[in-house]
Amino acid sequence: MRLRSTLIVALAALSVTGTAFAQAPAAAATERPVVIEGVVPDQATKARLLKNLREVYGADRVVDRIQVESIATPPNWGEYVAGMITPGLKRVSPGKLEVNGQSVRVTGEVGNEALRQQVASDLSLASNTSYTVTNALKVGSQQKLLDQTLANRIIEFQSGSAKLTPLGMSILDEMVAKMALMGDASFVIIGHTDNVGQRESNLALSHARAQAVKAYMVQKGIAGNHLDVLGKGPDEPVADNTTNDGRARNRRIEFKIQ
C-alpha cells in the first residue's frame, strides 16, 4: 500500500496563435487546459477536487488525469487540498501546484512580489500547520511588458472630463493587445490627476477616468471581471505640480497586475 497521496495541477497559461506577438489581437488568444493528475484515495476526493477546479477555471478547461487507488493519506487530506484550489491560483500563469502527502510546492510566475507572497499564504491557510508549503514562485515579466507598452506615454482625455481622445484610445488598443496575451491575469487601472482644484473633485475625476478606460477595454474584449479601478486623484504625483510639464505627467493612467 502506498503511504501518501500525490497530486499535480498544471496551472493555466496562455497560448497565442496567428499573428506576431506584438500585434496579436484579443481574438488570437486561446486558453490552455488546466491538467490535474496524480493518485487520490477515493472517488469522493476526486469529485471534490474536480468540482473546485472547474468552478475556478471553467469545466471546459479542466483535463482529468486523476487515478483512484487504495492508499493511506493524512487526516482530512482531500478537504485540505480541495481548499487550496481557489481563484487565487489564477494569478499563477503558467505554473504548477504539487501536493505530495503533507508537502505542498507551488511553482510558476506571478505579476509581482506581493502576489508571490499572497499565493503561498493562501495555500498555507487552506491546510494546517502540519503541512509544509514551499514557495517557488517567481515574479514574471508581465508587469514589465505592460510598463514597456505604455512607455511613459499619457493616456489623454478631453480637458476636465473622462472622455478619451483618439490618441488615448490608440494607446489603449496597444495595452489591450498585450493584456490579451496574459491569460487569467487580473489588472487594476489607476487614475491620477494634478493638484489643480479641489482634492475631492480630482479624486472623483481620476476614478471616472479609470472607469472610462475599463469600459473601453471591455468593449475591446478584455473581461470586465479581470479589471478593477482605483482613483487616487492628486495624492501620488510623479512630477512637479508647479510646472505645466509636471502637471501633464501627473495626469496619468497606470496599469498594475494584481
Side-chain angles (χ1 to χ4, degrees), residues 4-124:
R4 56 186 178 181
S5 192
T6 61
L7 191 76
I8 298 175
V9 182
L11 304 175
L14 193 72
S15 175
V16 179
T17 60
T19 57
F21 178 84
Q23 299 177 342
T30 57
E31 292 174 316
R32 289 180 183 170
V34 180
V35 181
I36 181 169
E37 60 184 337
V39 182
V40 299
D42 51 56
Q43 288 290 343
T45 298
K46 175 177 177 177
R48 174 182 287 178
L49 295 172
L50 289 173
K51 176 179 179 292
N52 284 20
L53 203 60
R54 287 164 178 160
E55 287 178 350
V56 170
Y57 287 99
D60 292 342
R61 295 180 62 187
V62 176
V63 176
D64 170 20
R65 296 179 183 169
I66 299 176
Q67 301 177 46
V68 177
E69 297 183 13
S70 179
I71 55 174
T73 62
N76 302 313
W77 184 87
E79 176 183 347
Y80 289 136
V81 176
M84 297 177 193
I85 302 174
T86 68
L89 287 182
K90 297 175 73 175
R91 297 170 174 175
V92 183
S93 177
K96 184 183 294 183
L97 174 64
E98 301 176 72
V99 184
N100 189 356
Q102 292 174 298
S103 296
V104 181
R105 179 179 175 85
V106 60
T107 58
E109 291 189 1
V110 291
N112 54 57
E113 178 61 24
L115 289 181
R116 195 183 82 85
Q117 298 294 336
Q118 186 64 54
V119 170
S121 176
D122 290 347
L123 292 173
S124 296

Side-chain angles (χ1 to χ4, degrees), residues 194-196 239-251:
D194 57 30
N195 67 349
V196 176
D240 187 353
N241 271 309
T242 64
T243 67
N244 289 335
D245 179 68
R247 288 191 295 271
R249 290 176 59 195
N250 288 333
R251 298 189 295 266

Side-chain angles (χ1 to χ4, degrees), residues 133-194:
V133 176
T134 300
N135 182 0
L137 293 170
K138 296 181 179 179
V139 176
S141 59
Q142 293 182 340
Q143 183 64 55
K144 183 178 180 180
L145 177 60
L146 286 183
D147 295 341
Q148 289 176 339
T149 302
L150 188 58
N152 293 321
R153 293 178 294 175
I154 302 299
I155 296 171
E156 294 182 351
F157 298 83
Q158 292 185 8
S159 179
S161 81
K163 186 174 182 179
L164 287 157
T165 66
L167 178 58
M169 287 186 279
S170 69
I171 296 173
L172 290 182
D173 289 340
E174 296 179 40
M175 301 301 294
V176 164
K178 293 301 185 290
M179 289 178 175
L181 302 175
M182 297 182 182
D184 291 310
S186 293
F187 311 89
V188 58
I189 302 165
I190 308 170
H192 301 270
T193 68
D194 57 30

Side-chain angles (χ1 to χ4, degrees), residues 155 157 188-194 202-211 213 228-236 250-255:
I155 296 171
F157 298 83
V188 58
I189 302 165
I190 308 170
H192 301 270
T193 68
D194 57 30
N202 282 327
L203 285 170
L205 179 60
S206 65
H207 187 268
R209 286 178 169 177
Q211 287 280 20
V213 170
D228 288 332
V229 297
L230 186 62
K232 293 192 174 182
D235 294 347
E236 295 184 3
N250 288 333
R251 298 189 295 266
R252 69 196 189 278
I253 294 288
E254 292 182 313
F255 301 88

